Amino acid sequence: MKTKLKYVWTFLLILTTVSAFSQKINKNFEIKDGHFLLNGKPFSIYSGELHYPRVPSQYWKHRLQMMKAMGLNTVTTYVFWNYHEETPGKWNFSGEKDLQQFIKTAQEVGLYVIIRPGPYVCAEWEFGGYPWWLQNIKGLKIREDNDQFLIETKKYITQLYNQVKDLQITNGGPVIMVQAENEFGSFVSQRKDIPLASHRTYNAKIVKQLKDAGFSVPLFTSDGSWLFEGGSVVGALPTANGEDNVENLKKIVNQYNNNQGPYMVAEFYPGWLGHWAEEFPRVDATTVARQTNKYLKNDVSFNYYMVHGGTNFGFTNGANYDKNHDIQPDLTSYDYDAPITEAGWRTPKYDSLRAVISKHTKAKLPEIPAPIKVIEIKDIQLNKVYNLFNYAAGQEIIKSDKPQSFEELNQGHGYVLYRRHFNQPIKGILDLKGLRDYATIYINGEKVGELNRYYNQYTMPIDIPFNAKLEILVENWGRINYGERINENTKGIISAVKIGDTEITGNWEMTKLPFLNDFASTIKAKPVDEGKQVKLKDVPTVYQGEFDLNEVGDTFIDMQKWGKGVIFVNGKNIGRFWKQGPQQTLYIPGVWLKKGKNEVIIFDQLNETVQTKVSTVKTPILDQLAK
């Protein structure tokens, strides 16, 4: 009897193992006969875009659960090349950059994953995702059929594949699709100087690199429907961005996809991006809900861009370019007026979309996760105050006959202080046409003006006396991520400095101020005595303070009384502020605070008012322009 039972149990174990193995190897996602098929059955993609670098890793699960509770079945994310290749050949996929963990968390929550690796991603992200140092490679031409560039993209795609290969659905993971390039049709329309055949060759080579790396899930492209001619590519499903006309969507996809579907809007905009010094954009919730309903009724798959925007922490924000502004830097907040706010809160827009989706799918949705606790911190005393010029005096000085760009200095982000001593007086119009991007100008430590690429301000009168020092503090405001100038993205002072008709050459000194996360530990200068701090007005100033907490939670630091600069909290650069608005507060995730002692460092480049304290509030201010 025992022997028979042993054989029965062995047989059942083998059967179960074979069944489990069979289920694993049978999992697949494909495009067939004009449909998305998941494990052989028709499937509609209800996706939301969320970028893992814009959300603290401790909050990934919460935000993904918010998406699941809204009725979505998929999360889409860009992968930012420059986020992972920190310096040439040095790759980081750990900690906050753990893409594998993000994908696994999505699977745990019950979401499929779509990856958009570019290599170009746009995304209102610094340089559209490209590493800044690509511009230092001789002969390299970004986003073209260029051997040097394609060597670098292949390295990136190979590294990416090694991270996610086991997470494709064919290997039991949640990754169902991968995008090839991104909005390439827009680039084709902007670069008429490049033959269409060359554009097509480049795009096809990116598809080939993805396939050669080993990606086995379907590939797709993403463009405005009127740009498919330049953006679509053989071997990838064409999808349309922002297309609200279902008939037009089907017509244009049919034209470029063998007269059949499936039909997908890869970027459906429930909100919009925001720039400094411009009104915060709002998109009506009713309009978004009605358009969602239209897609659902017509079997159109979609991806909300963004369902949750998050934050451009540190120096990660990008910028646009147009004819009126040489640069339009993006806000630190990437709230995007999305259904889920920057801090992960539900909105009326979220509730409307949840109701529409649940009515269509007739599925019982999970409970909506509770929001993260919010706290308020009053009157953080700023008891150490430093003159930035004194700080810079303790840093390395690079000498050159002409001002060098950030790239020539091998610096990606932050600030550079340019200095020159004048033995003889000189007077005239200071011309900084090569300014990239924002500068404050000083003579012997006293501010005499500022120049600003956003307002196309490149010149100002200047009067330098005998035996005087000219100092120009320049901020990289974020490299252009979209538009015709993406190939012109060097920073600092990139052409000759002139006063009148005289080109100022010889004896330039440069101090690199990258303001990395270890910024606090690099401060070697002595604090300015309290009685003398009033003299820091209009001088670039670093403030340092400590505060104790009995409890932690999300909060928003209030910068309405400040000028322009960046903030560090417990060593993390939480982003930029500027008095112009519309963003007047910066988001501090509670997971970056701790019970007990905390530190804040604020750098104010303008310092028009000497400060003694700063507070946080429970509600963000994102739509208040300076009067």
Side-chain angles (χ1 to χ4, degrees):
M1 185 66 179
K2 288 182 179 179
T3 303
K4 285 186 177 181
L5 284 173
K6 180 180 178 182
Y7 285 125
V8 169
W9 282 113
T10 302
F11 174 75
L12 289 173
L13 179 62
I14 293 171
L15 188 64
T16 302
T17 303
V18 170
S19 176
F21 180 74
S22 175
Q23 288 176 16
K24 182 177 179 180
I25 63 173
N26 284 337
K27 283 188 176 181
N28 66 81
F29 182 85
E30 59 185 331
I31 297 171
K32 187 176 181 181
D33 299 329
H35 297 282
F36 292 125
L37 297 179
L38 178 64
N39 300 328
K41 296 180 179 179
F43 181 77
S44 294
I45 297 171
Y46 308 146
S47 176
E49 188 106 2
L50 182 159
H51 302 147
Y52 58 98
R54 286 175 158 143
V55 180
S57 58
Q58 298 93 327
Y59 289 164
W60 288 345
K61 188 172 184 178
H62 176 267
R63 306 303 198 258
L64 292 165
Q65 287 174 329
M66 289 288 292
M67 294 175 59
K68 184 71 174 178
M70 198 175 110
L72 304 180
N73 58 26
T74 304
V75 58
T76 296
T77 185
Y78 279 127
V79 179
F80 302 105
W81 178 358
N82 58 13
Y83 188 61
H84 293 290
E85 191 171 10
E86 297 173 335
T87 57
K90 181 184 176 183
W91 297 88
N92 187 353
F93 286 92
S94 62
E96 293 289 325
K97 304 186 179 190
D98 193 341
L99 174 59
Q100 288 185 359
Q101 186 56 48
F102 175 77
I103 295 172
K104 290 174 182 177
T105 303
Q107 186 174 30
E108 178 187 339
V109 169
L111 295 171
Y112 293 101
V113 177
I114 294 174
I115 294 175
R116 308 175 74 190
Y120 164 76
V121 297
C122 185
E124 291 71 63
W125 186 268
E126 224 271 343
F127 205 1
Y130 291 134
W132 63 268
W133 43 262
L134 288 178
Q135 299 171 110
N136 284 344
I137 299 176
K138 187 176 180 180
L140 185 146
K141 295 182 179 179
I142 289 165
R143 221 178 177 192
E144 295 184 27
D145 184 13
N146 169 269
D147 288 343
Q148 290 91 330
F149 180 56
L150 289 166
I151 287 170
E152 298 301 323
T153 62
K154 184 177 181 180
K155 293 177 186 176
Y156 161 58
I157 288 171
T158 300
Q159 286 285 336
L160 172 65
Y161 176 72
N162 289 336
Q163 292 294 316
V164 303
K165 60 184 178 181
D166 294 332
L167 296 170
Q168 297 181 100
I169 191 168
T170 46
N171 293 324
V175 177
I176 57 174
M177 285 207 301
V178 173
Q179 182 176 323
E181 244 285 343
N182 183 49
E183 296 180 327
F184 190 64
S186 296
F187 185 70
V188 172
S189 70
Q190 294 158 2
R191 294 296 305 273
K192 301 289 188 183
D193 56 313
I194 301 174
L196 181 58
S198 181
H199 281 304
R200 289 190 178 283
T201 300
Y202 161 73
N203 215 7
K205 286 182 178 179
I206 293 299
V207 169
K208 187 175 187 301
Q209 285 187 353
L210 288 165
K211 290 183 175 180
D212 287 349
F215 284 104
S216 57
V217 295
L219 304 181
F220 69 101
T221 58
S222 179
D223 290 280
S225 59
W226 64 98
L227 297 168
F228 276 25
E229 177 65 19
S232 63
V233 59
V234 174
L237 173 74
T239 69
N241 290 350
E243 182 57 70
D244 57 5
N245 185 317
V246 171
E247 293 308 313
N248 189 56
L249 170 68
K250 292 183 176 181
K251 178 181 176 182
I252 195 71
V253 170
N254 287 348
Q255 183 179 343
Y256 288 89
N257 193 44
N258 300 319
N259 203 36
Q260 63 180 359
Y263 309 105
M264 182 171 179
V265 176
E267 291 190 6
F268 169 22
Y269 307 111
W272 197 244
L273 61 101
H275 298 130
W276 291 108
E278 298 174 11
E279 294 283 351
F280 185 83
R282 298 286 183 189
V283 176
D284 179 65
T286 302
T287 302
V288 179
R290 287 175 177 169
Q291 187 63 38
T292 299
N293 192 52
K294 187 188 295 186
Y295 290 149
L296 291 168
K297 285 185 174 180
N298 287 276
D299 194 25
V300 173
S301 292
F302 57 84
N303 172 48
Y304 292 117
Y305 189 101
M306 301 289 297
V307 72
H308 170 54
T311 310
N312 292 316
F313 294 114
F315 298 125
T316 60
N317 71 279
N320 278 3
Y321 167 86
D322 70 12
K323 295 178 181 178
N324 298 317
H325 304 281
D326 280 355
I327 194 170
Q328 294 174 288
D330 298 308
L331 301 175
T332 294
S333 172
Y334 201 57
D335 179 87
Y336 215 87
D337 193 32
I340 305 169
T341 72
E342 178 181 15
W345 305 342
R346 65 193 282 190
T347 63
K349 191 178 294 182
Y350 177 97
D351 292 335
S352 295
L353 298 178
R354 186 174 192 261
V356 169
I357 295 171
S358 63
K359 183 178 180 180
H360 176 82
T361 59
K362 296 182 173 60
K364 183 179 179 180
L365 299 180
E367 292 293 321
I368 301 171
I372 306 298
K373 182 180 179 63
V374 180
I375 63 172
E376 190 173 46
I377 311 168
K378 289 291 188 182
D379 297 337
I380 300 169
Q381 298 301 309
L382 303 170
N383 47 26
K384 292 182 181 178
V385 184
Y386 305 88
N387 183 326
L388 183 77
F389 295 135
N390 293 341
Y391 166 80
Q395 309 300 309
E396 178 188 6
I397 294 175
I398 297 96
K399 297 182 179 182
S400 175
D401 285 339
K402 66 178 184 63
Q404 293 187 351
S405 70
F406 276 55
E407 288 72 19
E408 289 171 318
L409 294 168
N410 198 34
Q411 177 178 328
H413 314 99
Y415 303 77
V416 168
L417 179 61
Y418 296 85
R419 287 195 188 97
R420 192 183 188 279
H421 185 266
F422 288 79
N423 293 321
Q424 299 296 327
I426 185 169
K427 181 178 180 180
I429 299 297
L430 173 66
D431 186 336
L432 275 184
K433 285 190 172 63
L435 171 64
R436 303 293 186 272
D437 298 301
Y438 187 101
T440 39
I441 319 297
Y442 308 85
I443 296 176
N444 292 334
E446 293 188 11
K447 184 179 176 184
V448 295
E450 59 187 83
L451 299 174
N452 183 331
R453 192 178 173 197
Y454 176 81
Y455 291 119
N456 299 312
Q457 295 172 340
Y458 295 105
T459 61
M460 57 173 276
I462 198 164
D463 186 355
I464 302 176
F466 173 78
N467 194 29
K469 179 170 59 179
L470 170 68
E471 292 173 302
I472 306 173
L473 180 60
V474 177
E475 176 194 14
N476 165 6
W477 215 346
R479 289 181 180 81
I480 291 170
N481 59 262
Y482 180 81
E484 59 190 87
R485 298 294 177 93
I486 193 170
N487 291 284
E488 302 171 26
N489 255 325
T490 50
K491 294 296 184 177
I493 297 176
I494 67 169
S495 65
V497 175
K498 293 183 178 181
I499 298 178
D501 295 327
T502 303
E503 182 176 332
I504 308 302
T505 59
N507 302 315
W508 280 98
E509 296 181 348
M510 286 140 288
T511 303
K512 301 196 292 184
L513 303 168
F515 282 19
L516 302 176
N517 284 340
D518 63 350
F519 177 50
S521 65
T522 66
I523 298 176
K524 298 176 182 177
K526 292 182 179 179
V528 176
D529 293 338
E530 187 172 345
K532 298 179 180 179
Q533 289 179 10
V534 66
K535 294 183 179 181
L536 291 176
K537 185 178 183 300
D538 297 324
V539 174
T541 301
V542 177
Y543 295 85
Q544 189 173 19
E546 293 182 344
F547 56 99
D548 289 314
L549 292 178
N550 295 321
E551 60 174 355
V552 298
D554 289 355
T555 192
F556 304 87
I557 191 165
D558 186 351
M559 304 306 293
Q560 294 181 81
K561 297 179 181 179
W562 296 71
K564 188 177 194 306
V566 294
I567 304 174
F568 295 81
V569 175
N570 291 333
K572 290 185 180 291
N573 186 335
I574 64 168
R576 311 175 199 258
F577 62 91
W578 189 28
K579 63 179 181 177
Q580 296 299 106
Q583 179 176 0
Q584 300 291 348
T585 59
L586 269 67
Y587 173 54
I588 303 177
V591 291
W592 291 354
L593 297 173
K594 54 191 176 182
K595 289 184 179 180
K597 197 173 295 296
N598 294 263
E599 178 190 60
V600 61
I601 295 178
I602 302 173
F603 169 62
D604 192 335
Q605 183 175 359
L606 303 180
N607 207 46
E608 295 166 333
T609 303
V610 177
Q611 306 288 343
T612 59
K613 59 187 177 181
V614 69
S615 298
T616 76
V617 293
K618 290 185 175 183
T619 304
I621 303 171
L622 299 177
D623 55 4
Q624 185 174 300
L625 284 170
K627 296 179 181 179

